[in-house]
Amino acid sequence: MTHSEHEPPGAGLADRHGRVATDLRVSLTDRCNLRCTYCMPAEGLDWLPNPALLTDAEIVRLIDVAVHRLGVTDVRFTGGEPLLRRGLTEIVRAVAALPGRPRMMLTTNGIGLSRLAAPLADAGLDRVNVSLDTTDPARFKTITRRDRHADVVEGLAAAAAAGLLPVKMNAVLLHGVNDDEAAELLRFALDRGYELRFIEQMPLDAGHTWRREEMVTAAEILARLRAEFTLLPDPAVRGGAPAETWVVEGRTDIGGAPARVGVIASVSSPFCGACDRTRLTADGAVRSCLFSQEETDLRSALRGGATDEELADLWRKAMWAKPAGHGINDPRFLQPARPMSAIGG
Ligand code: SAM
Ligand code: SF4
């Protein structure tokens, strides 16, 4: 079958490089109650004004379009901090009620999860990723500029108790701050049955402070883990998953299966060729890539009375133009205007 270079083919979210997006990241807010140094400045950002944000009903409608007209199978809620979105539980409940509902995940800093984990599980959420970069409360305060370590630890435990399994933990390491903690973080996660993923720091902070030479690389993380653990190749198929995973010898997860650890090497070993993601910002723009310089405004079309098929068509066209790769390793790389917290990490 042939199709024009300029027109997306068929029904799904294909791009001209042969990839098809089935994994939708929805940012529910650009606001946050932490100020992680690698993400936001201490004073916060110019938050989106409320009228610019999609309403709960608009979010559910766009997810319905993505699932029923565009082949999306997985939806991840993120932000900013998605637990700050008042309607979150009701959004999850409404998406769970869609025929052929997608799998639903949440990426959160964990603050408030001790209260919300059970209602979210009850509403139909399948899993959570909780970000935690250190086991030390004082370091947590240095990294996030807030004294909330205990809340996150409680949130993780509540997620496991609510059956949001496997509970995954995300960690970013920074030289001179927590780079000596790779093995300690893995021990913390293994002892509690959580699956840990390290994420290489990316040039997406609002302050534009990222420096390649200062980034803790996947190779460095693995060397530090191997000093204390034996990591075996993971027989599981990676597919479009961003993390490369290893089995931790001699350790099991909550269900008794071999325990795993992952590293997301977005910078040192990009996985753009297998990317299956599409993104919706809190103000209703589609982004084909975290790093795109372009976005497509669905909110105006939606508020202007567009039909589901017209919205689907705009979304398809936006994804058809997805760049081949993020280009971080290209000397001409330009950081996108929106920081990670406003795109949805
Ligand atoms: N607030 C939620 C949280 O922290 O999990 C969700 C949004 S946050 C932007 C999503 C993930 O992106 C977190 O795991 C965070 O550590 C990660 N992140 C933020 N800025 C990053 C950066 N510059 N490079 C790599 N990961 C980053
Ligand atoms: Fe907030 Fe998440 Fe960014 Fe930290 S990484 S400031 S928790 S949005």
Side-chain angles (χ1 to χ4, degrees), residues 80-133:
E81 177 42 49
L83 294 183
L84 293 180
R85 175 105 191 189
R86 237 184 251 138
L88 173 64
T89 309
E90 289 321 308
I91 292 172
V92 169
R93 199 183 304 285
V95 174
L98 296 175
R101 56 154 287 185
R103 283 181 287 271
M104 265 185 290
M105 282 74 79
L106 174 78
T107 299
T108 171
N109 63 27
I111 295 171
L113 195 56
S114 59
R115 183 173 51 82
L116 284 165
L120 284 169
D122 179 63
L125 187 72
D126 295 298
R127 282 203 308 96
V128 290
N129 283 51
V130 179
S131 303
L132 181 61
D133 303 327

Side-chain angles (χ1 to χ4, degrees), residues 65-254:
V65 167
V67 170
H68 291 115
R69 294 181 186 259
L70 298 168
V72 162
T73 57
D74 293 83
V75 174
R76 177 174 294 278
F77 297 109
T78 179
E81 177 42 49
L83 294 183
L84 293 180
R85 175 105 191 189
R86 237 184 251 138
L88 173 64
T89 309
E90 289 321 308
I91 292 172
V92 169
R93 199 183 304 285
V95 174
L98 296 175
R101 56 154 287 185
R103 283 181 287 271
M104 265 185 290
M105 282 74 79
L106 174 78
T107 299
T108 171
N109 63 27
I111 295 171
L113 195 56
S114 59
R115 183 173 51 82
L116 284 165
L120 284 169
D122 179 63
L125 187 72
D126 295 298
R127 282 203 308 96
V128 290
N129 283 51
V130 179
S131 303
L132 181 61
D133 303 327
T134 175
T135 62
D136 176 51
R139 279 188 179 183
F140 183 90
K141 197 173 165 193
T142 304
I143 296 169
T144 68
R145 303 184 176 106
R146 299 287 186 273
D147 196 4
R148 307 294 298 267
H149 188 261
D151 301 71
V152 183
V153 173
E154 276 172 32
L156 277 158
L164 295 167
L165 302 174
V167 172
K168 296 197 182 177
M169 225 174 96
N170 291 351
V172 175
L173 296 184
L174 306 169
H175 276 135
V177 180
N178 62 343
D179 56 336
D180 58 348
E181 246 191 282
E184 182 55 32
L185 278 163
L186 181 54
R187 228 178 338 267
F188 174 95
L190 291 171
D191 288 349
R192 291 160 182 78
Y194 310 148
E195 202 173 310
L196 176 63
R197 266 141 182 54
F198 292 96
I199 309 177
E200 275 182 350
Q201 192 190 355
M202 294 181 279
L204 281 170
D205 60 309
H208 292 226
T209 60
W210 183 88
R211 300 281 171 275
R212 163 180 293 284
E213 329 62 85
E214 288 169 20
M215 180 191 87
V216 180
T217 63
E220 195 176 335
I221 295 165
L222 287 168
R224 286 183 179 273
L225 293 178
R226 288 195 161 113
E228 297 193 37
F229 295 91
T230 301
L231 304 185
L232 306 171
D234 188 347
V237 176
R238 181 169 173 188
E244 186 167 4
T245 51
W246 285 264
V247 168
V248 186
E249 190 177 61
R251 303 294 301 247
T252 51
D253 67 14
I254 289 178

Side-chain angles (χ1 to χ4, degrees), residues 23-84:
D23 180 343
L24 167 61
R25 313 254 143 167
V26 182
S27 173
L28 295 179
T29 175
D30 59 335
R31 291 171 194 245
C32 193
N33 41 13
L34 296 183
R35 295 285 184 273
C36 305
T37 53
Y38 51 80
C39 184
M40 273 195 204
E43 64 278 14
L45 296 165
D46 288 333
W47 312 122
L48 291 166
N50 276 336
L53 296 178
L54 294 178
T55 64
D56 295 357
E58 287 170 339
I59 288 171
V60 175
R61 174 156 176 226
L62 288 176
I63 292 174
D64 186 19
V65 167
V67 170
H68 291 115
R69 294 181 186 259
L70 298 168
V72 162
T73 57
D74 293 83
V75 174
R76 177 174 294 278
F77 297 109
T78 179
E81 177 42 49
L83 294 183
L84 293 180

